[in-house]
Amino acid sequence: MFSFLRPTPKPSMTEIAEQVAQGRMLLIDVRELAEARASGVAQGARLIPLSLVPLKCDPRQPGCELPQGLPVAVYCASGGRSGMAAEALTRMGYGPVVNLGGLRDWAAGGGAVVAL
């Protein structure tokens, strides 16, 4: 009856990995460079530390690096920073935005991790 009140189900890691590989979803790692170098990044991810999200992701800024119109998935080390990034990206007009949690969640769901 009130289907508009039900949240959209979160896609599986396999679905997200497929969409990223096909260019139908953006994947953003919001950890710091040193963290990404130490543990690698999800295959297909763009590294944009949380502190740079307002500069590099805001479509009103001249240095915006993200195209509009695609769903976005974000992750960090444990999910806290990616939650903040997801909120910021949603306010900037991106959507839907999915917080994947941490890199471990990506790997546990079968996502590939590559060296940076």
Side-chain angles (χ1 to χ4, degrees), residues 73-93:
V74 293
Y75 71 91
C76 61
S78 63
R81 287 175 286 178
S82 55
M84 290 186 276
E87 289 177 17
L89 291 166
T90 300
R91 284 192 307 271
M92 289 179 214

Side-chain angles (χ1 to χ4, degrees), residues 10-91:
K10 180 178 169 181
S12 71
M13 291 295 182
T14 302
E15 292 170 323
I16 291 171
E18 288 173 4
Q19 289 180 26
V20 169
Q22 295 169 359
R24 295 185 297 126
M25 177 179 268
L26 302 172
L27 179 59
I28 303 172
D29 182 334
V30 297
R31 298 174 301 152
E32 295 297 320
L33 178 60
E35 292 174 274
R37 284 187 176 152
S39 59
V41 297
Q43 188 167 5
R46 298 175 187 214
L47 180 63
I48 303 176
L50 178 61
S51 61
L52 297 179
V53 166
L55 297 172
K56 293 190 172 193
C57 300
D58 189 340
R60 297 170 297 187
Q61 297 294 325
C64 181
E65 296 180 4
L66 294 184
Q68 294 264 277
L70 291 173
V72 180
V74 293
Y75 71 91
C76 61
S78 63
R81 287 175 286 178
S82 55
M84 290 186 276
E87 289 177 17
L89 291 166
T90 300
R91 284 192 307 271

